[in-house]
Amino acid sequence: MKNNYTDNITSCPIAKVQKVIRGKWPIVIIYHLSESHVLRFSELKRKMPQITEANLTKELRTLEAYGLIHREVYREVPPRVEYSLTAIGTKFIPVLEALETWALEYEAAQIESQS
């Protein structure tokens, strides 16, 4: 770590990131949007069958409030809503890739230590 945040953990950049991507769904949502670029609510729901519609709605609103995703509403009948990553949301993709690399290395290390 580059700085010591023991006096004020709320100013720690890692704590701020943790606040934005807390829980199990935000990273999954960002991942799916990074792969597909634009998804409708129903498409996201199909990709994540374990999440309830209420939780998906809540997580999408939170990610939108933090500026990571963009919500586009099309005024047509029936109404259509599409979600995509914002510029700052797109900058999170290398973080996801780094997390994937670390997770694979961690899993391999765990398997090796059990051998």
Side-chain angles (χ1 to χ4, degrees), residues 12 21 33 36 39 56 60-61 74 79-80 82 97 99 102-103:
C12 174
I21 58 167
L33 288 173
S36 301
L39 289 171
L56 179 56
L60 288 168
R61 286 182 182 158
Y74 294 91
R80 177 171 52 116
E82 294 180 339
E97 292 167 347
L99 285 170
W102 180 87

Side-chain angles (χ1 to χ4, degrees), residues 17-75:
V17 170
Q18 186 179 22
K19 182 179 178 184
V20 173
I21 58 167
R22 78 204 180 300
K24 66 180 181 180
W25 298 116
I27 288 177
V28 177
I29 292 168
I30 292 168
Y31 166 77
H32 286 303
L33 288 173
S34 75
E35 291 289 307
S36 301
H37 303 291
V38 176
L39 289 171
R40 295 174 71 173
F41 183 90
S42 59
E43 294 169 321
L44 276 166
K45 179 69 178 100
R46 269 194 298 278
K47 290 179 180 291
M48 300 181 294
Q50 303 89 347
I51 190 171
T52 65
E53 288 189 12
N55 276 338
L56 179 56
T57 299
K58 182 182 82 128
E59 296 295 351
L60 288 168
R61 286 182 182 158
T62 300
L63 289 169
E64 183 182 14
Y66 281 119
L68 295 175
I69 65 169
H70 172 72
R71 180 178 184 260
E72 184 73 34
V73 179
Y74 294 91
R75 305 287 178 205

